[in-house]
Amino acid sequence: MGAGGRGAAYAVRVRVAYAPGYWIELEAGHRFPMGKFPALHARLIREGLVDPRDVVLPGEAARRDLLRVHTREYLDALATASLDRRSERRLGLPATRALWQRSLLAVQGTLLAARMALEDGIAANLAGGTHHAFPDHGEGFCVLNDVAVAIRSLRAERSTLRALVVDLDVHQGNGTAFIFGGDPDTFTFSMHGEKNFPFTKERSSLDVPLPDHVGDAGYLSALAAHLPTALEAARPDLVMYLAGVDCVVGDRFGRLDLSERGLAERDAFVFATLCDAGVPVALLMSGGYAETAERTAELHAVTHREAAALYRSDRPVIQEPGAAT
Ligand SMILES: [Zn+2]
């Protein structure tokens, strides 16, 4: 896309941002599945879903970009590993120097993915989607709000950029909703478990709370009803897609009971809808807490398989304007 714009037919490489430094060691038995990042990268290469030449290494996010979203005090506390105990507990991860450096790479990966998406029509970060991060604190394993940093950084170069955040992680994107509340150029759409964390929810532009154990039919019909509405209201130049897999049955934290097949249908629908609308998408992994990190990576790979099936196919994936459908 990029040069082609709306109505162009295209088949593209799906470039991904990834750094080995996305992984850091956590104490044994920690609930956060750090191992899913290298496992996903290895799986995508092994399965041919990503060409090794299309893996792009992010550097560390620039402080001036982080300051577009986060407070100086919070950034300084993270950078010097001096977050207070209470804040660290709320974050759910040990606020070490290693975590800080890892977070800088992951944020830059999202900014990189967004830039590549604007060029190619789609690109991914093999991490990111840390939507519970607020300007002055982190929650629920989310240190920095990569999506907000990326949108605001791009907007510093292109002030008219309109963004749509499609957040299908099972948890509400409370940090993102808070940050973009009142921003007419960023539309936040969150579809999540109504009874799940965070228990006090912020207000997104469009919230679709779902009951526990909603299953495939209920989940997919809600998505089909609301994604086109969000797209129409947002009129975006770029979509940030948080493709969390914690809505899948068996997840330790999610309770929506989407099947693996339902997950594939979810992502096929999202990509086809965005593709038909000619809107570039930056794909972010967000949450997933299956029994093992390897299984979580397998589920994230489902999303990449759907992306590859659509965007890497040789057939035209977008109709020329006025062409028969
Ligand atoms: Zn989640």
Side-chain angles (χ1 to χ4, degrees):
M1 197 159 357
R6 279 167 208 274
Y10 65 99
V12 298
R13 304 143 66 194
V14 181
R15 288 189 284 171
V16 304
Y18 172 75
Y22 284 2
W23 179 90
I24 58 166
E25 187 153 23
L26 293 177
E27 66 189 55
H30 195 284
R31 295 177 305 159
F32 186 78
M34 197 57 85
K36 78 176 188 176
F37 303 109
L40 175 61
H41 172 255
R43 179 175 284 272
L44 294 178
I45 301 294
R46 196 166 66 233
E47 293 187 13
L49 292 171
V50 170
D51 188 315
R53 291 169 299 184
D54 290 335
V55 178
V56 185
L57 188 75
E60 293 186 349
R63 186 173 168 89
R64 89 171 168 272
D65 288 337
L66 300 175
L67 283 168
R68 300 183 201 283
V69 172
H70 294 285
T71 64
R72 201 170 292 278
E73 294 71 25
Y74 180 49
L75 295 176
D76 288 345
L78 289 169
T80 54
S82 56
L83 208 62
D84 65 83
R85 274 293 175 77
R86 197 170 141 267
S87 305
E88 195 175 42
R89 262 204 306 278
R90 199 171 185 191
L91 176 59
L93 288 166
T96 57
R97 285 280 303 168
L99 183 77
W100 168 243
Q101 273 152 1
R102 183 225 171 266
S103 304
L104 294 178
L105 293 176
V107 168
Q108 192 66 11
T110 292
L111 178 54
L112 194 55
R115 286 190 198 286
M116 295 192 293
L118 287 169
E119 289 172 13
D120 296 347
I122 183 167
N125 182 13
L126 301 190
T130 42
H131 55 171
H132 302 310
F134 284 74
D136 63 352
H137 73 274
E139 295 178 7
F141 309 139
C142 297
V143 182
L144 299 169
N145 199 305
D146 57 316
V147 166
V149 171
I151 291 172
R152 292 224 174 124
S153 299
L154 291 173
R155 206 169 271 156
E157 298 160 16
R158 182 177 155 190
S159 60
T160 57
L161 184 99
R162 297 179 59 83
L164 166 61
V165 180
V166 174
D167 188 340
L168 300 187
D169 185 280
V170 83
H171 304 103
Q172 197 220 19
N174 58 341
T176 318
F178 176 85
I179 291 164
F180 289 114
D183 176 347
D185 295 324
T186 305
F187 191 99
T188 52
F189 166 42
S190 178
M191 205 166 93
H192 49 262
E194 113 181 273
K195 299 220 176 93
N196 223 316
F197 177 91
F199 303 108
T200 305
K201 296 181 173 50
E202 299 292 333
R203 187 161 167 191
S204 311
S205 311
L206 175 60
D207 282 304
V208 179
L210 297 172
D212 287 353
H213 315 297
V214 64
D216 288 1
Y219 186 98
L220 295 169
S221 67
L223 181 63
H226 295 290
L227 180 60
T229 310
L231 197 53
E232 206 171 307
R235 294 179 288 111
D237 301 303
L238 175 67
V239 168
M240 308 295 276
Y241 176 32
L242 286 76
V245 295
D246 41 12
C247 42
V248 174
V249 66
D251 191 89
R252 283 178 289 137
F253 297 145
R255 298 190 294 259
L256 293 185
D257 296 355
L258 198 65
S259 70
E260 188 172 332
R261 191 196 163 102
L263 176 71
E265 285 182 36
R266 175 193 81 170
D267 292 328
F269 178 76
V270 170
F271 293 131
T273 302
L274 300 181
C275 212
D276 286 348
V279 182
V281 54
L283 166 63
L284 314 167
M285 298 302 94
S286 226
Y289 311 93
E291 206 160 311
T292 63
E294 190 56 53
R295 171 63 182 154
T296 303
E298 189 177 35
L299 291 172
H300 283 305
V302 168
T303 302
H304 286 268
R305 196 170 300 119
E306 293 305 321
L310 184 58
Y311 291 90
R312 288 174 74 187
S313 62
D314 292 330
R315 69 188 167 80
V317 287
I318 293 183
Q319 299 286 336
E320 290 296 335
T325 50

